[in-house]
């Protein structure tokens, strides 16, 4: 039923409600308060204490409206069996029609002292002799996210009568046994209490149940998405033999680590089944994911199919191509890098080769998803930093055929995100990096120690080591120029470093707005060791692999997020030598200080990711919509982690037992799922 037919809602209010996402009475019941108030316990007048809030019940002895003051006041004297109390309301003229001697009122507000007498100023009050005046409903209940057109109190008045009909309006999802086992209360009670909690304890139980439901439905959606991906589409199963395995491993000039071997075993297991792989490989920068991805790629090629490897930017795509080239020297595998710069006849020719199946591995950016790139037989798609590709684009790619899909992710995913944002994927983890990596020492450097730091760096540069200097932005004059004051910029830094600080070394500038050719040239020079210091923005965040670069300075380190700092730091410590990460920062922000301190304490990407999530809260890291998931109204994936785990287990179990949710006892769940998440999860056909 549309909300418009509720008492107190006309067409205009219905529109306002629609803007709040509330169309139906069902939506209204799930328009949860953002906070709650409880009826305060009343005290006697002689128990009031100054500077506290108090609630009293008493008889209105007299009223008076005084307009001769600068601020007109409405005043009453209230009495109970213990004494008398003056109550004033500034600008209280409107009360003349409401308060009269002889009424009994409940008043709740701040107690102040005036001329040695206790009084109450501007309290909330309720006249108790009216027929339906229930103090708990007036003083207590939900405080709703409101708008200028619709106040929290108005929303509360509209919802209140609806709560009398919950029996008809609310369906239970689970049977008694399940509720009991998991200490969950019934859904009807939960909805009633969330809007009008009798006390804190029952509010807590209501929240728990509703959070659980929200997380459960989300996990159910993910479980169904995963199930469908696995069972409703198929890809040609690949074959892997000892011979193929041997041939691929011969390409790598080192033994694979145990983590790499395990990941490969999982990936090969997926690829050899008819159900398409949908796996995410996660591991810190430099942990050896590229090698694992290349293994998968070569397996696909050995099975006569093509591979697309995609990175978020052209620099990264080029970097991938380069490292692949290193391993594929003298190999017959046909591979190509497709960039935006590739145009005209050359492009047409290459696209023809891809479409004709005469190209095995194609590396590029999202451009590979453009319509003009067609594959003859796409067997595997590798997507680097998958979260940067929209769900939509991924779906588009899947449409062509059903290739195996492997995502790579360098920023470790906190557990809560692994279960939601990536909750429909299988995950392989590389925890330990290959041996032979030098330690990275991280220090926080403030301005007083800056000169010392420069001297320290000079010594390393003299010893033929290389350094990165990273800045939060390119220039300070660009764009709107607004909050640019005090933020360090790469161009200024480069002038200072090359002219004043390190004039005897080769210092080069690299940033995203430079032409691609120029960028490639500078990166190549740095890789060859002809450039000593590379000054840049975060373009080097991912992809650069120069073991001789053992120093990284991050200027304005307080401006970077934890994950980003950790990613940046991954650029050093790639060789055997000890590396140094110097974080330059002056900041008063507690969060920024916290971040920098965590960086100096930990090198473990997973640990850092968990801290990051906790510091920032899920709102910033986890936009549900971006991952094609419904927004969460009441649950918080970090704070409610235990409920999330429980919901996930139960949801996945349910789907394995009843993948179509066709059983009678699952009817309510199915309906709720479709109503709530049908669109965002693309589950319209579940029913
Ligand atoms: P990621 O893609 O996770 O950032 P890479 O696959 O690029 O990591 O590997 C980082 C570096 O480690 C590369 O120089 C690579 O040659 C090297 N490497 C990868 N695996 C091993 C291994 N098992 N033993 C030694 N070195 C390795
Ligand atoms: Mg890599």
């Amino acid at each position: 039923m549309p909300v418009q037919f509720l008492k107190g809602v006309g067409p205009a209010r219905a529109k306002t409600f629609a803007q709040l996402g509330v169309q139906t009475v069902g939506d209204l019941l799930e328009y949860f308060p953002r906070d709650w108030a409880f009826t305060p316990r009343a005290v006697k007048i002689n128990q009031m204490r100054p500077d506290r809030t108090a609630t009293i019940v008493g008889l209105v002895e007299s009223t008076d409206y005084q307009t001769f003051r600068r601020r007109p006041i409405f005043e009453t004297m209230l009495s109970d069996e213990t004494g008398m109390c003056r109550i004033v309301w500034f600008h209280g003229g409107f009360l003349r029609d409401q308060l009269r001697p002889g009424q009994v009122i409940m008043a709740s507000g701040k107690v102040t002292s005036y001329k040695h007498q206790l009084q109450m100023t501007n309290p909330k009050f309720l006249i108790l002799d009216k027929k339906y005046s229930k103090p708990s409903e007036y003083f207590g209940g939900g405080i709703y996210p409101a708008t200028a057109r619709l106040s929290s109190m108005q929303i509360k008045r509209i919802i209140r009568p609806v709560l009398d009909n919950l029996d008809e309006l609310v369906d239970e999802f689970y049977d008694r046994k399940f509720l009991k086992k998991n200490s969950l209360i019934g859904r009807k009670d939960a909805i009633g209490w969330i809007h009008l909690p009798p006390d804190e304890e029952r509010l807590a139980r209501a929240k728990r149940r509703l959070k659980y439901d929200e997380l459960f439905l989300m996990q159910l959606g993910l479980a169904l998405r995963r199930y469908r991906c696995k069972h409703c589409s198929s890809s040609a199963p690949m074959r892997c033999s000892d011979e193929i395995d041997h041939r691929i491993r011969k390409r790598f000039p080192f033994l694979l680590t145990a983590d790499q071997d395990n990941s490969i075993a999982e990936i090969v297991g997926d690829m050899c089944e008819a159900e398409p792989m949908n796996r995410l490989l996660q591991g810190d920068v430099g942990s050896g994911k590229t090698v694992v991805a290349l293994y998968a790629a070569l397996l696909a090629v050995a099975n006569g199919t093509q591979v697309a490897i995609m990175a978020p930017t052209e620099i990264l795509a080029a970097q991938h191509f380069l490292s692949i080239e290193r391993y594929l020297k003298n190999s017959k595998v046909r591979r190509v890098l497709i960039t935006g710069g590739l145009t005209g006849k050359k492009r047409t020719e290459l696209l023809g080769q891809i479409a004709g199946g005469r190209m095995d591995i194609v590396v590029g950016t999202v451009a590979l998803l453009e319509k003009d790139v067609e594959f003859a037989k796409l067997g595997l798609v590798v997507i680097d930093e998958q979260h940067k590709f929209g769900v939509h684009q991924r779906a588009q790619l899947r449409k062509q055929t059903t290739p195996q899909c492997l995502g790579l992710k360098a920023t470790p995913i906190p557990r809560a995100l692994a279960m939601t944002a990536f909750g429909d994927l299988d995950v392989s983890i590389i925890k330990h990096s290959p041996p032979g990596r030098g330690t990275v020492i991280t220090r926080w450097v403030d301005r007083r120690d800056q000169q010392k730091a420069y001297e320290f760096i000079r010594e390393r540069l003299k010893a033929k080591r290389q350094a990165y200097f990273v800045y939060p932005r390119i220039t300070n004059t660009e764009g709107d120029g607004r909050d640019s004051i005090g933020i360090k910029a790469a161009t200024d830094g480069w002038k200072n470093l090359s002219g004043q600080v390190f004039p005897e070394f080769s210092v080069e500038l690299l940033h995203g707005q430079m032409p691609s050719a120029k960028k490639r040239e500078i990166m190549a020079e740095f890789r060859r060791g002809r450039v000593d210091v590379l000054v840049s923005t975060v373009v080097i965040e991912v992809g650069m692999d120069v073991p001789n670069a053992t120093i990284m300075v991050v200027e304005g380190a307080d401006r970077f997020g934890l994950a980003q700092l950790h990613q940046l730091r991954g650029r050093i410590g790639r060789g055997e030598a000890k590396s140094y990460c110097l974080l330059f920062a002056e900041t008063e922000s507690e969060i920024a200080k916290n971040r920098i301190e965590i960086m100096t304490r930990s090198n473990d990407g997973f640990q850092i990711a968990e801290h990051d999530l906790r510091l920032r809260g899920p709102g910033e890291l986890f936009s549900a919509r971006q991952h094609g998931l419904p927004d969460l109204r009441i649950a918080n994936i970090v704070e409610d982690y235990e409920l999330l785990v429980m919901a996930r287990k139960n949801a996945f179990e349910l789907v394995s037992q009843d993948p179509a949710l066709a059983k009678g006892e699952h009817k309510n769940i199915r309906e709720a799922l479709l109503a709530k998440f049908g669109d965002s999860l693309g589950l319209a056909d579940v029913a």
Side-chain angles (χ1 to χ4, degrees):
M1 184 172 95
V3 276
Q4 193 175 328
F5 301 117
L6 289 178
K7 193 162 161 274
V9 187
R13 275 220 174 132
K15 253 190 216 140
T16 311
F17 266 121
Q19 282 160 7
L20 298 174
V22 174
Q23 315 263 5
T24 65
V25 174
D27 296 338
L28 187 65
L29 286 176
E30 295 193 16
Y31 193 73
F32 301 134
R34 59 171 168 76
D35 204 356
W36 293 267
F38 294 91
T39 325
R41 219 167 52 86
V43 297
K44 295 297 171 203
I45 286 175
N46 70 355
Q47 292 174 314
M48 287 166 51
R49 296 288 170 264
D51 301 322
R52 302 259 181 89
T53 49
T55 302
I56 50 177
V57 175
L59 179 74
V60 177
E61 299 280 353
S62 65
T63 65
D64 187 17
Y65 185 49
Q66 303 169 3
T67 49
F68 56 85
R69 295 165 184 267
R70 198 159 45 84
R71 286 191 292 177
I73 62 172
F74 186 85
E75 168 183 312
T76 86
M77 295 304 288
L78 202 69
S79 72
D80 69 6
E81 66 273 22
T82 69
M84 188 88 95
C85 175
R86 181 167 171 261
I87 301 183
V88 301
W89 284 272
F90 290 107
H91 303 290
F94 64 98
L95 294 170
R96 277 173 300 178
D97 306 330
Q98 297 184 28
L99 286 179
R100 279 182 299 280
Q103 288 170 329
V104 174
I105 68 167
M106 182 182 237
S108 183
K110 181 107 185 263
V111 180
T112 53
S113 158
Y114 178 73
K115 289 186 180 160
H116 307 295
Q117 290 277 346
L118 291 186
Q119 70 170 32
M120 206 177 252
T121 314
N122 294 333
K124 281 176 81 173
F125 75 95
L126 179 70
I127 301 163
L128 292 185
D129 46 7
K130 274 200 185 157
K131 244 201 225 152
Y132 294 111
S133 55
K134 289 188 192 153
S136 69
E137 290 181 14
Y138 179 72
F139 290 100
I143 297 162
Y144 293 88
T147 70
R149 294 237 189 90
L150 201 55
S151 72
S152 169
M153 190 50 108
Q154 286 165 328
I155 296 174
K156 190 162 125 178
R157 283 205 198 104
I158 292 163
I159 291 185
R160 176 62 197 85
V162 181
L163 300 180
D164 292 333
N165 301 317
L166 290 183
D167 278 336
E168 298 155 37
L169 291 170
V170 179
D171 292 322
E172 183 51 75
F173 293 168
Y174 322 111
D175 60 37
R176 278 233 184 105
K177 222 173 90 201
F178 178 88
L179 292 178
K180 188 138 183 263
K181 191 177 130 219
N182 293 291
S183 327
L184 292 168
I185 61 169
R187 193 167 158 80
K188 199 182 65 189
D189 282 343
I191 298 231
W193 293 349
I194 202 81
H195 290 287
L196 203 59
D199 52 49
E200 298 260 13
E201 200 257 321
R202 275 178 278 190
L203 172 63
R205 278 156 59 188
K207 278 191 198 165
R208 188 176 132 84
R209 166 67 204 253
L210 294 170
K211 284 173 171 186
Y212 177 81
D213 284 359
E214 189 166 63
L215 293 168
F216 176 75
L217 290 179
M218 173 199 246
Q219 289 300 320
L220 194 59
L222 286 166
L224 285 170
R225 200 148 88 176
R226 184 170 180 280
Y227 184 91
R228 268 208 318 198
C229 174
K230 282 227 169 293
H231 297 273
C232 302
S233 58
S234 66
S235 52
M238 308 221 171
R239 215 178 46 83
C240 188
S241 62
D242 285 349
E243 197 219 318
I244 294 176
D245 176 70
H246 186 67
R247 224 166 58 209
I248 296 177
R249 281 174 195 267
K250 261 201 326 211
R251 290 270 146 212
F252 306 130
F254 36 67
L255 280 178
L256 298 190
T257 64
D259 283 353
Q260 282 172 323
D261 274 334
N262 290 338
S263 303
I264 287 174
E266 287 168 346
I267 290 167
V268 172
D270 287 353
M271 288 173 71
C272 292
E273 280 174 17
E275 298 149 4
M277 168 166 72
N278 203 13
R279 186 172 285 276
L280 187 68
L281 174 64
Q282 70 168 105
D284 245 330
V285 203
S287 59
K289 296 181 298 296
T290 305
V291 170
V292 174
L294 185 58
Y295 186 105
L298 293 176
L299 177 60
V301 173
N303 278 271
T305 63
Q306 293 171 299
V307 179
I309 299 180
M310 297 183 295
T313 67
E314 292 220 332
I315 292 192
L316 293 175
Q319 186 72 34
H320 271 296
F321 189 69
L322 234 116
S323 48
I324 290 174
E325 281 299 281
R326 261 200 334 228
Y327 298 113
L328 294 185
K329 230 172 244 159
N330 306 322
S331 151
K332 277 182 299 196
V333 173
R334 296 159 295 184
R335 63 254 181 212
V336 68
L337 173 70
I338 301 271
T339 62
L342 182 69
T343 50
K345 230 171 109 192
K346 189 87 204 291
R347 186 180 179 90
T348 320
E349 193 187 310
L350 279 172
L351 294 186
Q353 286 174 10
I354 298 170
R358 296 186 303 279
M359 188 56 74
D360 301 312
I361 298 182
V362 183
V363 183
T365 63
V366 226
L368 288 190
L369 299 178
E370 281 168 14
K371 278 186 230 95
D372 64 340
V373 182
E374 248 175 64
F375 289 84
K377 198 175 176 203
L378 187 58
L380 171 71
V381 173
V382 177
I383 307 177
D384 193 15
E385 287 305 310
Q386 177 171 42
H387 65 292
K388 291 183 183 161
F389 288 89
V391 172
H392 173 71
Q393 288 163 320
R394 245 186 292 162
Q396 195 181 347
L397 186 78
R398 289 253 186 75
K399 250 184 267 161
Q400 300 190 7
T401 55
T402 311
Q404 315 275 355
C405 193
L406 177 66
L408 306 183
K409 190 138 188 359
T411 5
I413 308 162
R415 294 164 306 166
L417 287 186
M419 273 185 227
T420 49
F422 301 94
D424 52 347
L425 306 179
D426 295 309
V427 179
S428 294
I429 295 177
I430 302 186
K431 219 166 169 150
H432 303 286
S433 295
R437 297 288 164 80
T439 43
V440 179
I441 293 165
T442 302
R443 289 279 179 273
W444 179 358
V445 178
D446 69 15
R447 188 164 295 138
R448 281 166 300 168
D449 292 330
Q450 204 161 329
Q451 282 308 325
K452 253 197 273 171
Y454 286 149
E455 288 318 310
F456 176 83
I457 295 166
R458 191 186 317 282
E459 290 308 308
R460 313 277 128 181
L461 293 176
K462 273 189 198 155
K464 286 281 157 246
R465 295 294 180 191
Q466 290 162 282
Y468 297 104
F469 272 74
V470 184
Y471 287 79
R473 55 158 69 197
I474 302 175
T475 63
N476 258 342
T477 47
E478 54 158 12
D480 58 5
R482 260 185 305 165
D483 56 14
S484 62
I485 306 142
I487 301 178
K488 306 274 182 181
T491 44
D492 301 342
W494 170 68
K495 272 184 218 140
N496 179 40
L497 290 169
S498 59
Q500 263 83 52
V501 187
F502 300 122
E504 70 271 41
F505 295 106
S506 155
V507 182
E508 288 290 347
L509 178 66
L510 176 79
H511 62 71
Q513 288 179 4
M514 289 163 42
S516 302
K518 179 84 184 155
K519 279 190 287 201
R520 270 200 296 278
E521 185 194 317
I522 291 177
M523 279 169 49
E525 291 288 282
F526 188 70
R527 213 172 285 124
R528 278 189 216 115
R530 291 207 209 124
V531 169
D532 302 303
V533 178
L534 190 66
V535 179
S536 76
T537 55
V538 287
V539 287
I540 61 150
E541 189 180 339
V542 242
M544 275 294 244
D545 188 6
V546 181
N548 190 50
T550 56
I551 294 161
M552 168 165 294
V553 172
V554 183
E555 277 274 14
D558 51 307
R559 305 245 151 216
F560 293 94
L562 255 184
Q564 214 173 15
L565 286 173
H566 182 65
Q567 282 261 28
L568 283 168
R569 185 170 59 181
R571 296 295 111 210
I572 55 172
R574 300 207 134 205
E576 298 199 2
K578 216 185 225 181
S579 288
Y580 300 89
C581 176
L582 306 178
L583 304 174
F584 284 19
E586 312 272 331
T587 177
E588 291 305 313
S589 150
E590 282 306 315
I591 288 204
K593 285 184 194 169
N594 238 321
R595 283 200 297 255
I596 296 173
E597 249 146 40
I598 289 166
M599 286 296 294
T600 61
R601 277 204 312 270
S602 175
N603 271 316
D604 178 341
F606 285 91
Q607 219 177 347
I608 288 175
E610 295 287 341
H611 275 297
D612 198 21
L613 187 61
R614 230 164 293 137
L615 278 183
R616 292 207 268 174
E620 204 173 317
L621 275 188
F622 171 58
S623 144
R625 291 252 166 100
Q626 196 193 329
H627 295 281
L629 297 170
D631 282 332
L632 293 174
R633 288 250 177 95
I634 187 166
N636 173 315
I637 58 171
V638 175
E639 283 163 21
D640 305 315
Y641 181 73
E642 273 156 64
L643 279 178
L644 174 62
V645 173
M646 184 170 127
R648 182 171 178 83
K649 181 173 157 280
N650 291 332
F652 276 72
E653 254 171 43
L654 175 61
V655 169
S656 72
Q657 287 161 15
D658 183 13
L661 305 182
K663 291 187 188 158
E665 69 258 39
H666 300 146
K667 176 173 157 282
N668 290 346
I669 292 177
R670 190 180 67 206
E671 276 170 12
L673 182 77
L674 286 175
K676 209 160 181 184
F677 301 158
D679 294 342
S680 48
L681 289 172
L683 294 175
D685 52 340
V686 165

